[in-house]
Amino acid sequence: MEPKAKILFADDEPDILDIIGFNLEKEGYEVITANNGQQAFDLSKIHRPDLIILDIMMPYKTGIEVCNLLRQLPDFRDTPIVILTALNDETSHIKGLDSGADDYISKPISTKILISRINALLRRTQKDNEQKIIRIGDMVIDQNRFIVSLKDKEVSLAKKEFELLSLLAGKPGRVFLRNEILSMVWGTEVIVGDRTIDVHIRKIRQKLGIDCIKTIKGVGYKFEW
Amino acid sequence: MEPKAKILFADDEPDILDIIGFNLEKEGYEVITANNGQQAFDLSKIHRPDLIILDIMMPYKTGIEVCNLLRQLPDFRDTPIVILTALNDETSHIKGLDSGADDYISKPISTKILISRINALLRRTQKDNEQKIIRIGDMVIDQNRFIVSLKDKEVSLAKKEFELLSLLAGKPGRVFLRNEILSMVWGTEVIVGDRTIDVHIRKIRQKLGIDCIKTIKGVGYKFEW
DNA sequence: GGTTAACTTAACAATTTGGTAATCCCGGAT
DNA sequence: ATCCGGGATTACCAAATTGTTAAGTTAACC
């Protein structure tokens, strides 16, 4: 079975790591474990989990520190982060949430509740990316079937073209800076030349045959019907 | 000050309604209160709050029932819902979250923590809706779309012109010294001649067709509708 | 493996934008 | 009236940015 989502779980207590990790896997999640803060940070960058669970008291870096660091990176600005801890005082709780975490859960915690909360978080965050069908004017972009159609006439786009169009058409009118486009379509790892975007834009314009992508010189591109 | 967001808060205990409502307002939220489940549901439909807090044990309809009902409606499929309750058993907790709520908080709860959790939820859901729009008289400067419009007629400005106008119109009436303009629009690195500003101002005036940028001789420029 | 499509890059053309300088204007001061 | 210190205007050129095309590189699929 396809895993529902990839979860990184960081705790320095092996017992907890085992028990909760096991239960998460039983729930259908793919689990990556880390024993300390530094490792949690490094493994996150490598594996790009869909959700991150951080214990606070860990060697090398606390969960809060890791959370702050991750939130600096564009790739992790929206990743749901759960702080899991034995500390239950008000100050820690607030500090945890203010560091950009989405949930703060005090141990001991029933595994069922933990999983339920994780489901709730993923339900919300995956819903956002789940806008599977975009409709604007005569255009329909179906992200499930990978099809773009104009007045019921199907247009076939390549993968990158499709992703680029989906990004722009996903928020019509809004201008996307070139580096936003790069990081969203190509990711931050890959480095591609500047002309690459133009060329893809050109192909899209050509294939669509209509002028719905506007250039804002010196800034970026935007979709406009 | 414009309220940060509209929150509907439903609880049948007047004391709690008062205390938490007061604190939410102090935090800058607009608060709508309901005394029972039915009212919570009806008022939600009328006011379209950005976030809904529901007590479970309420007359007419429990918080869970309201949550389920709201989630049926397309308008409330994405609205963050917090279940607030005195029940702290595992089953209720899970049932609450499974009904589509985003958070389940057990009373008693520190007001600060409650607000911190609400902030965290709104932070996530409102992130995309931040609009950088300047409106003055008939003019609208939309920094997301990179558009300036006058009486619904769109005016197209180049990047520097747009930045310059945004700067001036951002604080109408305030005089910007030539130095200030230089450092804010051009940065401190770049060195450009003094006439450059004039020329850009001229282009803006020309394109807008109206005289909303005043010259203060020997000082600088200011925007005035 | 060979073929095809997709992706990226490079090179050049086309366009737009930004900056400068020369000149013109408009008060206020001489 | 004339001069003078800004600023306004204009035209022009350089720089920056994007469009276009073609050719090289990968990756995917028989």
Side-chain angles (χ1 to χ4, degrees), chain A residues 71 77-81 88-90 93-105 109-113 116-117 119-121 123-125 127-128 171-176 216-219 222 224, chain B residues 71 77-81 88-91 93-105 109-113 116-121 123-125 127-129 143-147 154 157-159:
Chain A
R71 283 289 185 244
R77 194 158 304 156
D78 291 332
T79 307
I81 297 179
N88 194 19
D89 63 302
E90 185 181 89
H93 195 145
I94 291 171
K95 205 186 291 177
L97 291 174
D98 285 352
S99 75
D102 290 284
D103 203 350
Y104 182 99
I105 303 177
I109 177 78
S110 127
T111 315
K112 284 186 187 169
I113 291 182
S116 194
R117 296 195 79 99
N119 286 333
L121 251 177
R123 177 173 62 212
R124 167 158 298 283
T125 53
K127 198 184 307 186
D128 293 344
K171 293 204 178 295
R174 138 137 210 224
V175 177
F176 289 84
I216 315 290
K217 273 213 154 193
V219 186
K222 70 173 169 180
E224 217 163 48
Chain B
R71 283 288 185 246
R77 217 176 23 198
D78 291 333
T79 307
I81 297 180
N88 194 18
D89 63 301
E90 188 181 85
T91 315
H93 195 143
I94 291 172
K95 203 185 294 177
L97 291 174
D98 286 352
S99 75
D102 290 284
D103 202 350
Y104 182 99
I105 302 178
I109 175 77
S110 126
T111 315
K112 284 185 187 169
I113 291 182
S116 196
R117 295 193 81 98
I118 286 169
N119 286 334
L121 255 175
R123 178 171 65 214
R124 169 160 296 287
T125 53
K127 194 173 322 188
D128 275 348
N129 301 339
Q143 303 191 302
N144 289 108
R145 298 163 181 266
F146 221 87
I147 283 176
E154 198 172 304
L157 297 184
K159 193 179 162 206

Side-chain angles (χ1 to χ4, degrees), chain A residues 156-172:
Chain A
S156 96
L157 297 184
K159 190 170 151 225
K160 278 266 144 49
E161 292 158 12
F162 188 84
E163 289 173 353
L164 182 45
L165 179 62
S166 299
L167 175 67
L168 296 181
K171 293 204 178 295

